[in-house]
Amino acid sequence: MIDDRLQASPARNLRLAARRGLAGRCPACGKGRLFRSYLKPVDSCASCGEDLSQIRADDGPAWLTILVVGHLVVALVLGIDSWAGWPLWQAMAFYPTLGLALCLALLPVSKGLFIGVIWAGEPAPA
Ligand SMILES: [Zn+2]
């Protein structure tokens, strides 16, 4: 059974909302900030007033971040280790630090993407 609200409301632009979310901006207007702190989203957009309080990304951003960072770091370990021949202590210091830095950098970007995509999937107000 299809929800009547979905049929009656116009679709939101998924790509635009995803791009705005990736940039850490409101998926509706692209002007207001999406986060009030590192990973805490705002309740509503300061620019357009769009209510963002009901959007819950849950574990999606962490899953995506680990997926991307894991593949990058493993590829780097295999690629660098084959020609650099680093000592074990150097590799044990570098790769975890790189992985942690990439996770911390990508997590808010990933959360913004999820919030943008979830927002685009909601029915627009009539
Ligand atoms: Zn906005």
Side-chain angles (χ1 to χ4, degrees):
M1 175 182 251
I2 298 174
D3 189 352
D4 292 337
R5 291 178 307 156
L6 289 174
Q7 281 187 323
S9 61
R12 292 174 170 172
N13 188 328
L14 176 64
R15 285 180 182 228
L16 185 60
R19 254 195 339 258
R20 288 173 173 170
L22 279 170
R25 296 292 168 188
C26 167
C29 68
K31 294 176 184 166
R33 296 180 57 135
L34 190 54
F35 298 105
R36 65 177 166 212
S37 63
Y38 177 61
L39 285 177
K40 187 74 176 168
V42 295
D43 289 333
S44 62
C45 176
S47 181
C48 69
E50 178 73 19
D51 181 21
L52 302 170
S53 63
Q54 301 304 316
I55 298 175
R56 305 214 185 286
D58 291 336
D59 294 336
W63 167 81
L64 181 62
T65 300
I66 290 170
L67 183 76
V68 171
V69 171
H71 282 85
L72 281 174
V73 171
V74 168
L76 283 172
V77 167
L78 296 175
I80 290 175
D81 209 45
S82 65
W83 61 264
W86 285 355
L88 184 60
W89 70 267
Q90 198 172 0
M92 291 297 289
F94 178 72
Y95 296 121
T97 305
L98 176 67
L100 181 63
L102 285 173
C103 282
L104 291 174
L106 286 180
L107 198 51
V109 175
S110 177
K111 188 164 185 172
L113 171 67
F114 268 82
I115 289 175
V117 169
I118 292 169
W119 177 86
E122 289 181 340

